[in-house]
Amino acid sequence: MSTLQDLDTHLFSQMQRLDNADLCGDNLAKEIERTEALTKVSKSIVESATLQLNAVKLKAEYIGLKKGEMPALLEGVKP
């Protein structure tokens, strides 16, 4: 996973796994644990992307940007 689009796809896939009516007992508990861990990591990724975006905005406001200066994570381009 290296773009916000990848993260989005992964989160929706996890939601589909949780929506599985056949999940019960230990399997459901494991999926819930997996979802909680994924949520924590996702929040960190989003916070990092927000920080990168704010830095780019600040630079654009005071210095200007050259074409292609947007962080790859925000552009959806895989490094």
Side-chain angles (χ1 to χ4, degrees):
M1 194 175 359
S2 53
T3 67
L4 292 178
Q5 186 175 9
D6 291 342
L7 176 61
D8 190 55
T9 300
H10 201 67
L11 290 171
F12 278 105
S13 294
Q14 183 62 27
M15 283 180 52
Q16 287 176 340
R17 281 191 290 278
L18 282 173
D19 195 36
N20 182 350
D22 295 332
L23 278 179
C24 59
D26 286 343
N27 289 335
L28 179 58
K30 286 178 184 177
E31 278 305 319
I32 290 171
E33 280 183 41
R34 177 185 168 124
T35 300
E36 290 171 349
L38 184 60
T39 299
K40 288 178 184 177
V41 171
S42 297
K43 285 181 180 182
S44 293
I45 292 170
V46 170
E47 287 172 3
S48 175
T50 300
L51 179 62
Q52 291 178 46
L53 179 59
N54 288 338
V56 169
K57 285 179 180 179
L58 189 62
K59 182 178 179 190
E61 182 179 343
Y62 289 100
I63 300 172
L65 292 179
K66 298 174 191 161
K67 185 175 180 173
E69 280 196 88
M70 190 65 102
L73 177 69
L74 301 176
E75 286 185 344
V77 177
K78 296 185 186 218

